[in-house]
């Protein structure tokens, strides 16, 4: 499987938007999810609601059903993940690099 297909599989539709989750982006950037989220928190003014949002419990359940995931993936999640729109992914690259 090529890199483009791998990325395509990590794009989900949530709130009618195409987004990527913090854990997938952290993996792509080679950092821990907590490091990615810390960078976002330090630059919160650069991430308005149309750039990123945190999944609700219902959205998390919908996401899990989209990927037919097992409970094992949920293990280790202390909070619901953040979802980044295309604009958020672009901004994320500037605060991580």
């Amino acid at each position: 499987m090529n890199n483009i297909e791998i990325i395509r599989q990590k794009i989900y539709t949530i709130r009618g938007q195409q987004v990527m989750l913090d854990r997938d982006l952290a993996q792509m950037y080679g950092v821990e999810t907590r490091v990615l989220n810390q960078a976002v928190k330090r630059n919160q003014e650069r991430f308005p609601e149309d750039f990123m949002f945190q999944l609700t419990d219902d959205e998390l359940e919908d996401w899990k059903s989209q990927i037919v995931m097992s409970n094992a993936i949920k293990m280790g999640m202390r909070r619901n993940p953040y979802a980044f729109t295309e604009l958020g992914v672009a901004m994320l690259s500037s605060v991580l690099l």
Side-chain angles (χ1 to χ4, degrees):
M1 187 177 306
N2 65 38
N3 289 340
I4 293 173
E5 188 57 34
I6 292 169
I7 293 170
R8 210 174 264 144
Q9 289 181 351
K10 298 196 181 284
I11 298 173
Y12 305 100
T13 301
I14 302 172
R15 297 186 191 176
Q17 299 183 70
Q18 299 292 300
V19 298
M20 293 184 75
L21 300 182
D22 55 3
R23 61 191 290 147
D24 295 329
L25 288 164
Q27 183 181 27
M28 289 173 52
Y29 282 108
V31 298
E32 293 178 34
T33 304
R34 68 175 181 81
V35 171
L36 181 143
N37 288 325
Q38 287 170 349
V40 170
K41 283 182 184 178
R42 283 193 306 270
N43 295 280
Q44 212 164 13
E45 71 284 351
R46 297 173 80 177
F47 292 92
E49 199 169 296
D50 58 333
F51 281 38
M52 67 166 272
F53 55 87
Q54 190 169 22
L55 273 63
T56 65
D57 290 340
D58 288 339
E59 289 168 337
L60 181 60
E61 290 303 313
D62 288 344
W63 169 68
K64 289 190 315 187
S65 69
Q66 278 189 50
I67 62 169
V68 191
M69 71 183 272
S70 70
N71 287 337
I73 294 177
K74 173 67 175 161
M75 293 171 62
M77 270 194 210
R78 293 186 180 143
R79 50 142 193 86
N80 291 358
Y82 288 97
F84 292 82
T85 64
E86 184 177 357
L87 294 171
V89 172
M91 183 59 69
L92 187 58
S93 66
S94 72
V95 300
L96 284 176
L97 301 176

